[in-house]
Amino acid sequence: MESHLNPPGSFDVTDHPVPTGREEIWRFTPLKRLRGLHADAEFNRSAIKASWNTPDGARVQGVTGDEARSLRGISGLVPNTRFAARVLAEVPSTLLVDVPAEVELAEPLVVQLDGHDVTNTEAGHVVMRFGAHSKAIVVVNHTGSASVAAVVEIVVGDGADVTVVSIQDWADDAVHLSHHQALVGRDATYKHAAISFGGDVVRMDANVAYDGPGGSAELLGLYFADEGQHIEHRIFADHNAPRTKSNAIYKGALQGDKAHTVWVGNVLIRKVAEGIETYEENRNLILTDGCHADSIPNLEIETGEIAGAGHASATARFDDTQLFYLQSRGISEKESQRLVVHGFFNDLIRKVGVPSIEERLLATVEAELAKNVLKEVQ
């Protein structure tokens, strides 16, 4: 049975017309600012420098030819967008992160992608493959100036415990269009954290499906949009196996004129997915006038035999009661606002589970606040 949350896909690029903006999955995205990445911009491979560490037990390398081609669609991804189909069809090589079965990485594996030319549109394909009962944390860090379309495929073996963190800390002129697709094995645990601060336009799809019963997925997101920025996050949890779990929590803050964020949460519970549990939550905090946050949770259920399903969405300004409480104890208005924002993000930041990343995120939130809310704080 096809679902409006799961439109049919195709590896054939010609099956995907160039989006016009009238399509449901593109209606919020400013297509004119994507520099043709969604359409037919030429893909080059010269403006982003990639580097990484290689913890004991892991393999990280670029692969080409038959090996690269065999990895395309390994996560079960069948592209339902033109840009994803083009990436899989046209990129000549794949960056492979391989963690064999039973291996536990002693430290996070960090892939650094640094852009140097925003006028050079390019594409990338990354595959992360984690063997049965492995345990690993992978961080993908995006910085600099770039215009990039990317597909990231993640395969989590049976019983594995995997965390993938993707940080979009681009320069103000960057454009990033990406699709992350994960396949979670039997009784495996998967955590995905999407963190977006920089860039002119950032749009990320973070999808998950299951390769057996008992798999669990935690989808986390944190974003902070400034003047003129467009940050868009979409998730799709496809419960295609019984006794699986998904829990999505995304939080965002907005400040500055025409700052725009979009969150779309799609959860599909198929007929075979009896005994599943799912919950999705999105919270947005408006810090100044002139901002706009769109938040759309969708839940489609094809069986009544489930353990639980729900969603929540809220967009609001500062809580006057919280501010009054802090100011009544001698704390200035601006400092009170700062404390409220940190409190808003703090529990989510702690869920990321990578101490070095948590410290960095707290510092980045402080830097974002300094651009607007804390201007007058000495």
Side-chain angles (χ1 to χ4, degrees), residues 233-300:
H233 287 280
R234 292 169 173 264
I235 67 166
F236 176 43
D238 185 357
H239 285 274
N240 57 339
R243 299 185 304 283
T244 51
K245 295 181 180 180
S246 67
N247 184 51
I249 305 174
Y250 274 66
K251 287 189 175 184
L254 301 85
Q255 63 181 2
D257 188 43
K258 296 183 179 178
H260 186 199
T261 63
V262 178
W263 180 83
V264 179
N266 292 326
V267 175
L268 172 61
I269 304 171
R270 298 180 183 270
K271 285 185 178 180
V272 298
E274 296 184 355
I276 72 96
E277 293 182 52
T278 181
Y279 193 79
E280 55 178 344
E281 175 184 345
N282 177 230
R283 307 285 181 184
N284 297 292
L285 185 59
I286 304 293
L287 304 181
T288 68
D289 293 334
C291 307
H292 183 77
D294 288 294
S295 180
I296 304 174
N298 295 308
L299 181 61
E300 185 171 335

Coordinates of all heavy atoms in Angstrom, one line a residue, residues 233-300:
H233 N 14.2 21.1 8.4 CA 14.4 19.7 8.8 C 13.1 18.9 8.6 O 12.0 19.3 9.0 CB 14.8 19.6 10.2 CG 16.2 20.1 10.5 ND1 17.3 19.3 10.2 CD2 16.7 21.3 11.0 CE1 18.4 20.0 10.6 NE2 18.1 21.2 11.0
R234 N 13.3 17.7 7.9 CA 12.2 16.8 7.7 C 12.6 15.4 8.2 O 13.8 15.0 8.0 CB 11.8 16.7 6.2 CG 11.2 18.0 5.7 CD 11.1 18.0 4.2 NE 10.3 19.2 3.7 CZ 9.0 19.2 3.5 NH1 8.3 18.1 3.6 NH2 8.4 20.3 3.1
I235 N 11.7 14.7 8.9 CA 12.0 13.4 9.3 C 10.9 12.4 8.7 O 9.8 12.9 8.4 CB 12.1 13.2 10.8 CG1 10.7 13.4 11.4 CG2 13.1 14.1 11.4 CD1 10.6 12.9 12.9
F236 N 11.3 11.2 8.5 CA 10.3 10.2 8.1 C 10.7 8.9 8.8 O 11.7 8.3 8.6 CB 10.3 9.9 6.6 CG 9.4 8.8 6.2 CD1 8.1 8.7 6.7 CD2 9.8 7.9 5.2 CE1 7.3 7.6 6.3 CE2 8.9 6.9 4.8 CZ 7.7 6.8 5.4
A237 N 9.9 8.5 9.8 CA 10.1 7.2 10.5 C 9.1 6.2 9.9 O 7.9 6.3 10.1 CB 9.9 7.4 12.0
D238 N 9.6 5.2 9.2 CA 8.8 4.2 8.5 C 8.8 2.9 9.4 O 9.8 2.1 9.3 CB 9.4 3.9 7.1 CG 8.6 3.0 6.3 OD1 7.5 2.5 6.8 OD2 8.9 2.8 5.1
H239 N 7.8 2.7 10.2 CA 7.7 1.5 11.0 C 7.2 0.4 10.1 O 6.0 0.2 10.0 CB 6.8 1.8 12.2 CG 7.4 2.6 13.3 ND1 8.2 2.1 14.3 CD2 7.4 4.0 13.5 CE1 8.6 3.1 15.0 NE2 8.2 4.2 14.6
N240 N 8.1 -0.3 9.6 CA 7.8 -1.4 8.6 C 8.1 -2.8 9.2 O 8.2 -3.8 8.5 CB 8.6 -1.2 7.3 CG 10.1 -1.2 7.6 OD1 10.6 -0.9 8.7 ND2 10.9 -1.4 6.6
A241 N 8.3 -2.8 10.6 CA 8.6 -4.1 11.3 C 8.0 -4.0 12.7 O 7.9 -2.9 13.2 CB 10.1 -4.3 11.4
P242 N 7.6 -5.1 13.2 CA 6.9 -5.1 14.5 C 7.9 -4.7 15.7 O 9.1 -4.9 15.6 CB 6.4 -6.5 14.7 CG 7.2 -7.3 13.8 CD 7.6 -6.5 12.6
R243 N 7.3 -4.3 16.8 CA 8.0 -4.0 18.0 C 9.2 -3.1 17.9 O 10.2 -3.2 18.5 CB 8.4 -5.3 18.7 CG 7.2 -6.2 19.1 CD 7.7 -7.4 19.8 NE 8.7 -8.2 19.1 CZ 8.4 -9.0 18.1 NH1 7.2 -9.2 17.7 NH2 9.4 -9.7 17.6
T244 N 9.1 -2.1 16.9 CA 10.1 -1.1 16.8 C 9.7 0.2 17.5 O 8.5 0.4 17.8 CB 10.3 -0.8 15.3 OG1 9.0 -0.6 14.6 CG2 11.0 -2.0 14.6
K245 N 10.7 1.0 17.7 CA 10.4 2.3 18.4 C 11.1 3.5 17.7 O 12.1 3.3 17.0 CB 11.0 2.2 19.8 CG 10.4 1.2 20.7 CD 11.1 1.3 22.1 CE 10.5 0.2 23.1 NZ 11.1 0.3 24.4
S246 N 10.4 4.6 17.7 CA 11.0 5.9 17.3 C 10.6 7.0 18.2 O 9.5 7.0 18.7 CB 10.6 6.2 15.8 OG 9.2 6.5 15.7
N247 N 11.6 7.9 18.5 CA 11.3 9.0 19.3 C 12.0 10.2 18.7 O 13.3 10.2 18.6 CB 11.8 8.8 20.7 CG 11.4 9.9 21.7 OD1 10.3 10.4 21.7 ND2 12.4 10.4 22.4
A248 N 11.3 11.2 18.3 CA 11.9 12.4 17.6 C 11.7 13.6 18.5 O 10.5 13.9 18.9 CB 11.3 12.6 16.3
I249 N 12.7 14.4 18.8 CA 12.7 15.6 19.5 C 13.5 16.7 18.7 O 14.7 16.5 18.6 CB 13.2 15.5 20.9 CG1 12.5 14.4 21.7 CG2 13.0 16.9 21.6 CD1 13.0 14.2 23.1
Y250 N 12.9 17.7 18.2 CA 13.6 18.8 17.5 C 13.2 20.1 18.2 O 12.0 20.3 18.5 CB 13.1 18.8 16.0 CG 13.9 17.9 15.1 CD1 13.8 16.6 15.2 CD2 14.7 18.5 14.1 CE1 14.5 15.7 14.4 CE2 15.5 17.6 13.3 CZ 15.4 16.3 13.4 OH 16.1 15.4 12.6
K251 N 14.2 20.9 18.4 CA 14.0 22.2 19.0 C 14.8 23.3 18.2 O 15.9 23.1 17.8 CB 14.5 22.2 20.5 CG 13.6 21.5 21.4 CD 14.0 21.7 22.9 CE 13.0 21.1 23.9 NZ 13.4 21.4 25.3
G252 N 14.1 24.4 18.1 CA 14.7 25.5 17.3 C 14.4 26.9 17.9 O 13.4 27.1 18.6
A253 N 15.4 27.8 17.7 CA 15.2 29.2 18.0 C 15.4 30.1 16.8 O 16.1 29.7 15.9 CB 16.1 29.6 19.2
L254 N 14.7 31.2 16.8 CA 14.8 32.1 15.7 C 14.9 33.5 16.1 O 14.3 33.9 17.1 CB 13.5 32.1 14.8 CG 13.0 30.7 14.2 CD1 12.2 29.9 15.2 CD2 12.2 31.0 12.9
Q255 N 15.8 34.3 15.4 CA 16.0 35.7 15.7 C 16.3 36.4 14.5 O 17.0 35.9 13.6 CB 17.1 35.9 16.8 CG 18.4 35.4 16.4 CD 19.5 35.6 17.4 OE1 19.2 36.1 18.5 NE2 20.7 35.3 17.1
G256 N 15.9 37.7 14.3 CA 16.2 38.5 13.2 C 15.2 38.4 12.1 O 14.4 37.5 12.0
D257 N 15.1 39.5 11.3 CA 14.1 39.7 10.3 C 14.2 38.5 9.2 O 15.3 38.2 8.7 CB 14.2 41.0 9.6 CG 13.1 41.3 8.6 OD1 11.9 41.0 9.0 OD2 13.4 41.8 7.5
K258 N 13.1 37.9 8.9 CA 12.9 36.9 7.9 C 13.7 35.6 8.2 O 14.0 34.9 7.3 CB 13.3 37.5 6.5 CG 12.4 38.6 6.0 CD 12.7 39.0 4.6 CE 11.8 40.1 4.2 NZ 12.1 40.7 2.8
A259 N 14.0 35.4 9.4 CA 14.5 34.1 9.8 C 13.4 33.1 9.7 O 12.3 33.4 10.2 CB 15.1 34.1 11.2
H260 N 13.6 32.0 9.0 CA 12.5 31.0 8.7 C 13.0 29.6 9.0 O 14.1 29.2 8.6 CB 12.1 31.1 7.3 CG 10.9 30.3 6.9 ND1 10.6 29.9 5.6 CD2 10.0 29.7 7.7 CE1 9.5 29.2 5.6 NE2 9.1 29.1 6.9
T261 N 12.3 28.9 9.8 CA 12.6 27.5 10.1 C 11.3 26.6 9.7 O 10.2 27.1 9.8 CB 12.9 27.2 11.5 OG1 11.8 27.5 12.4 CG2 14.1 28.0 11.9
V262 N 11.6 25.4 9.2 CA 10.6 24.4 8.9 C 10.9 23.1 9.5 O 12.1 22.6 9.4 CB 10.5 24.3 7.4 CG1 9.4 23.2 7.0 CG2 10.2 25.6 6.7
W263 N 9.9 22.5 10.2 CA 10.1 21.2 10.6 C 8.8 20.4 10.2 O 7.7 20.8 10.4 CB 10.2 21.1 12.2 CG 10.3 19.7 12.7 CD1 11.5 18.9 12.8 CD2 9.3 18.8 13.2 NE1 11.2 17.7 13.3 CE2 9.8 17.6 13.5 CE3 7.9 19.0 13.3 CZ2 9.1 16.5 14.0 CZ3 7.1 18.0 13.8 CH2 7.7 16.7 14.2
V264 N 9.1 19.3 9.5 CA 8.0 18.4 9.1 C 8.3 17.0 9.6 O 9.4 16.4 9.3 CB 7.8 18.3 7.5 CG1 6.7 17.4 7.1 CG2 7.5 19.7 7.0
G265 N 7.5 16.5 10.4 CA 7.7 15.1 11.0 C 6.7 14.1 10.5 O 5.5 14.3 10.7
N266 N 7.1 13.2 9.7 CA 6.3 12.1 9.2 C 6.5 10.8 9.8 O 7.7 10.3 9.9 CB 6.5 12.0 7.7 CG 6.0 13.2 6.9 OD1 5.1 13.9 7.3 ND2 6.7 13.6 5.8
V267 N 5.5 10.1 10.3 CA 5.6 8.8 10.9 C 4.5 7.9 10.2 O 3.4 8.3 10.2 CB 5.4 8.8 12.4 CG1 5.4 7.4 13.0 CG2 6.5 9.6 13.1
L268 N 5.0 6.8 9.7 CA 4.1 5.8 9.1 C 4.2 4.5 9.8 O 5.2 4.0 10.0 CB 4.5 5.6 7.6 CG 3.7 4.5 6.8 CD1 2.2 4.8 6.8 CD2 4.3 4.4 5.4
I269 N 3.0 4.0 10.3 CA 2.9 2.7 11.0 C 2.2 1.8 10.1 O 1.0 1.9 9.8 CB 2.2 2.9 12.3 CG1 2.9 3.9 13.2 CG2 2.2 1.5 13.0 CD1 2.1 4.3 14.4
R270 N 3.0 0.8 9.5 CA 2.4 -0.1 8.5 C 1.6 -1.2 9.2 O 1.7 -1.4 10.4 CB 3.5 -0.7 7.6 CG 4.2 0.4 6.8 CD 5.3 -0.2 6.0 NE 6.0 0.8 5.2 CZ 5.7 1.2 4.0 NH1 4.6 0.7 3.4 NH2 6.4 2.1 3.4
K271 N 0.9 -2.0 8.4 CA 0.0 -3.0 9.0 C 0.8 -4.1 9.7 O 0.4 -4.6 10.7 CB -0.8 -3.7 7.8 CG -2.0 -2.9 7.3 CD -2.8 -3.7 6.3 CE -4.0 -2.9 5.8 NZ -4.8 -3.6 4.8
V272 N 2.1 -4.3 9.2 CA 2.9 -5.4 9.9 C 3.5 -4.9 11.2 O 4.1 -5.7 11.9 CB 4.0 -5.8 8.9 CG1 3.4 -6.4 7.6 CG2 4.9 -4.7 8.6
A273 N 3.4 -3.6 11.4 CA 4.2 -3.0 12.6 C 3.4 -3.0 13.9 O 3.2 -2.0 14.5 CB 4.6 -1.6 12.2
E274 N 3.0 -4.2 14.3 CA 2.3 -4.4 15.5 C 3.2 -4.2 16.7 O 4.4 -4.6 16.7 CB 1.6 -5.7 15.6 CG 0.5 -5.9 14.5 CD -0.3 -7.2 14.7 OE1 0.1 -8.0 15.5 OE2 -1.3 -7.4 13.9
G275 N 2.7 -3.6 17.8 CA 3.5 -3.4 19.0 C 4.5 -2.3 19.0 O 5.4 -2.3 19.8
I276 N 4.4 -1.4 18.1 CA 5.4 -0.3 18.0 C 5.1 0.8 18.9 O 4.0 1.0 19.4 CB 5.6 0.2 16.5 CG1 4.3 1.0 16.1 CG2 5.8 -1.0 15.6 CD1 4.5 2.5 16.3
E277 N 6.1 1.6 19.2 CA 5.9 2.8 20.0 C 6.6 4.0 19.2 O 7.7 3.8 18.7 CB 6.6 2.7 21.3 CG 6.0 1.7 22.3 CD 6.6 1.7 23.6 OE1 6.8 2.8 24.2 OE2 7.1 0.7 24.1
T278 N 5.9 5.1 19.1 CA 6.5 6.3 18.5 C 6.0 7.6 19.1 O 4.8 7.6 19.5 CB 6.1 6.2 16.9 OG1 6.7 7.4 16.3 CG2 4.6 6.3 16.7
Y279 N 6.8 8.6 19.1 CA 6.4 9.9 19.5 C 7.3 10.9 18.8 O 8.5 10.7 18.6 CB 6.6 10.0 21.0 CG 5.9 11.3 21.6 CD1 4.5 11.3 21.8 CD2 6.6 12.4 21.9 CE1 3.9 12.4 22.3 CE2 6.0 13.6 22.4 CZ 4.6 13.6 22.6 OH 4.0 14.7 23.0
E280 N 6.7 12.0 18.4 CA 7.5 13.1 17.8 C 7.1 14.4 18.4 O 5.9 14.7 18.7 CB 7.3 13.1 16.3 CG 5.9 13.2 15.8 CD 5.8 13.2 14.3 OE1 6.8 13.5 13.6 OE2 4.7 13.0 13.8
E281 N 8.1 15.3 18.6 CA 7.9 16.6 19.3 C 8.7 17.6 18.6 O 9.9 17.4 18.3 CB 8.3 16.4 20.7 CG 8.2 17.7 21.5 CD 8.7 17.5 23.0 OE1 8.8 16.4 23.4 OE2 9.0 18.5 23.6
N282 N 8.1 18.8 18.4 CA 8.9 19.9 17.9 C 8.5 21.2 18.7 O 7.3 21.5 18.9 CB 8.6 20.2 16.4 CG 9.2 21.4 15.8 OD1 8.6 22.2 15.2 ND2 10.5 21.5 16.0
R283 N 9.5 21.9 19.1 CA 9.3 23.1 19.9 C 10.1 24.2 19.3 O 11.3 24.0 18.9 CB 9.8 23.0 21.3 CG 9.1 21.8 22.1 CD 7.7 22.0 22.4 NE 7.1 20.9 23.1 CZ 5.9 20.8 23.5 NH1 5.0 21.8 23.3 NH2 5.4 19.7 24.1
N284 N 9.5 25.4 19.1 CA 10.2 26.5 18.5 C 10.1 27.8 19.4 O 9.0 28.0 19.9 CB 9.7 26.9 17.1 CG 9.9 25.7 16.1 OD1 11.0 25.5 15.8 ND2 8.8 25.1 15.7
L285 N 11.2 28.5 19.6 CA 11.2 29.7 20.4 C 11.5 30.9 19.6 O 12.6 31.0 19.0 CB 12.2 29.5 21.5 CG 12.3 30.6 22.6 CD1 11.0 30.7 23.3 CD2 13.5 30.3 23.6
I286 N 10.5 31.8 19.5 CA 10.7 33.1 18.7 C 11.3 34.1 19.6 O 10.7 34.5 20.6 CB 9.3 33.5 18.2 CG1 8.7 32.4 17.3 CG2 9.5 34.8 17.4 CD1 9.3 32.1 16.1
L287 N 12.5 34.6 19.2 CA 13.2 35.5 20.1 C 13.0 37.0 19.7 O 13.1 37.9 20.6 CB 14.7 35.2 20.1 CG 15.1 33.8 20.5 CD1 16.6 33.6 20.4 CD2 14.6 33.4 21.8
T288 N 12.7 37.3 18.5 CA 12.5 38.7 18.0 C 11.3 38.7 17.0 O 10.9 37.7 16.5 CB 13.8 39.2 17.3 OG1 14.0 38.5 16.1 CG2 15.0 39.1 18.2
D289 N 10.9 39.9 16.7 CA 9.9 40.1 15.6 C 10.5 39.8 14.3 O 11.7 39.8 14.1 CB 9.4 41.5 15.6 CG 8.7 41.9 16.9 OD1 8.1 41.0 17.5 OD2 8.6 43.1 17.3
G290 N 9.6 39.4 13.3 CA 10.0 39.2 12.0 C 10.4 37.8 11.6 O 10.9 37.5 10.5
C291 N 10.2 36.9 12.6 CA 10.6 35.5 12.3 C 9.4 34.6 12.0 O 8.2 35.0 12.3 CB 11.3 34.9 13.6 SG 12.7 35.8 14.2
H292 N 9.6 33.5 11.4 CA 8.5 32.6 11.1 C 8.9 31.1 11.2 O 9.9 30.7 10.6 CB 8.0 32.8 9.6 CG 6.8 32.0 9.3 ND1 5.5 32.3 9.8 CD2 6.6 30.9 8.5 CE1 4.6 31.4 9.3 NE2 5.3 30.5 8.6
A293 N 8.2 30.4 12.0 CA 8.5 28.9 12.1 C 7.3 28.1 11.7 O 6.1 28.3 12.1 CB 8.8 28.6 13.6
D294 N 7.5 27.2 10.8 CA 6.5 26.2 10.4 C 6.8 24.9 11.0 O 7.9 24.4 11.0 CB 6.5 26.0 8.8 CG 5.9 27.2 8.1 OD1 4.7 27.5 8.3 OD2 6.7 27.9 7.4
S295 N 5.7 24.3 11.6 CA 5.9 23.0 12.3 C 4.7 22.1 12.0 O 3.5 22.4 12.3 CB 5.9 23.2 13.8 OG 6.1 22.0 14.5
I296 N 5.0 21.0 11.3 CA 3.9 20.1 10.8 C 4.2 18.6 11.2 O 5.0 18.0 10.5 CB 3.7 20.2 9.3 CG1 3.5 21.7 8.9 CG2 2.6 19.4 8.8 CD1 3.5 21.9 7.4
P297 N 3.6 18.1 12.2 CA 3.7 16.7 12.5 C 2.6 15.9 11.8 O 1.4 16.3 11.7 CB 3.5 16.6 14.0 CG 2.6 17.8 14.3 CD 2.8 18.9 13.3
N298 N 3.0 14.8 11.2 CA 2.0 13.9 10.5 C 2.2 12.5 11.0 O 3.3 12.0 11.2 CB 2.3 13.9 9.0 CG 2.1 15.3 8.3 OD1 1.0 15.8 8.5 ND2 3.1 15.7 7.6
L299 N 1.1 11.8 11.2 CA 1.1 10.5 11.7 C 0.0 9.7 11.0 O -1.1 10.0 10.9 CB 0.7 10.5 13.2 CG 0.7 9.2 14.0 CD1 2.1 8.5 13.9 CD2 0.3 9.4 15.4
E300 N 0.5 8.6 10.3 CA -0.4 7.7 9.6 C -0.3 6.3 10.1 O 0.8 5.7 10.2 CB -0.1 7.7 8.1 CG -1.1 6.9 7.2 CD -0.8 7.1 5.8 OE1 -0.3 8.1 5.4 OE2 -1.2 6.2 5.0

